[in-house]
Amino acid sequence: MGPADRQPGELTEEDRRFLRRCVALARESLEAGDEPFGSLLVDDEGVERFSDRNRVKDGDATRHPEFEIARWAAANLSPRQRRGSVVYTSGEHCPMCSAAHAWVGLGRIVYASSSEQLVAWRRGWGAAPAPVSALPINAVAPDVEVAGPDPLLADEVRALHAKMLGVAET
């Protein structure tokens, strides 16, 4: 199934392949002592152009991979190339990253786990909430096409967050 055959919000096998890479980046981030988030930018021909993982452990809470993607795209891609790209990410964009995505004019966002899921997991584990409200992408960037979460990969992301918080999974 190609992009023309996909319904809005629907995940394809190609989407899942890129999401698996994002979960691997999130795992790499956790292993480096950071929060488990990973993202990548794929152009309209299916070529990975940029990838990153969370880098907030040193005190700069804006070092989200989705924000880095927006910065990189603004510096390296034309507006047309940005519109045709897809951002894949292990976790749904926070409001800061959603805004950066929209301001730069990037295309579709595909995520493995949702902000709603992350908030529920953290609440269930007794963890402190984030300092910023967890809004869905379209509450901040209403014209951006989104797809996710992916039920199988969301479970993997949940396990990474549990590990980060020292929570025993049952």
Side-chain angles (χ1 to χ4, degrees):
M1 171 173 33
D5 302 321
R6 176 184 44 77
Q7 296 298 313
E10 183 179 4
L11 294 172
T12 66
E13 282 309 309
E14 181 179 45
D15 289 336
R16 286 187 175 91
R17 180 172 61 85
F18 287 123
L19 285 176
R20 284 184 196 97
R21 170 120 165 76
C22 292
V23 173
L25 286 166
R27 187 172 295 107
E28 174 187 313
S29 185
L30 184 62
E31 290 168 0
D34 222 319
E35 296 176 3
F37 293 94
S39 305
L40 52 104
L41 177 73
V42 175
D43 69 18
D44 61 356
E45 294 181 9
V47 175
E48 182 181 320
R49 300 290 301 270
F50 184 85
S51 65
D52 203 7
R53 61 171 181 78
N54 243 38
R55 298 178 189 280
V56 302
K57 72 179 180 181
D58 294 327
D60 183 351
T62 68
R63 296 291 310 273
H64 296 187
E66 304 89 351
F67 202 75
E68 298 297 330
I69 284 172
R71 286 180 177 138
W72 183 89
N76 293 282
L77 300 177
S78 71
R80 185 199 63 73
Q81 289 172 312
R82 293 192 301 259
R83 279 190 305 277
S85 67
V86 179
V87 174
Y88 291 93
T89 187
S90 61
E92 184 176 9
H93 288 29
C94 72
M96 173 186 71
C97 295
S98 296
H101 185 103
W103 282 116
V104 169
L106 291 166
R108 182 171 174 250
I109 299 171
V110 182
Y111 53 88
S113 63
S114 70
S115 297
E116 181 180 13
Q117 288 173 311
L118 181 58
V119 167
W121 299 334
R122 290 181 62 87
R123 186 180 312 116
W125 297 327
V132 174
S133 296
L135 300 174
I137 292 166
N138 289 143
V140 177
D143 295 330
V144 175
E145 181 186 346
V146 298
D150 182 283
L152 296 176
L153 292 173
D155 287 343
E156 289 185 45
V157 173
R158 181 181 191 274
L160 293 173
H161 283 274
K163 184 175 181 178
M164 175 187 73
L165 293 171
V167 174
E169 289 279 278
T170 57

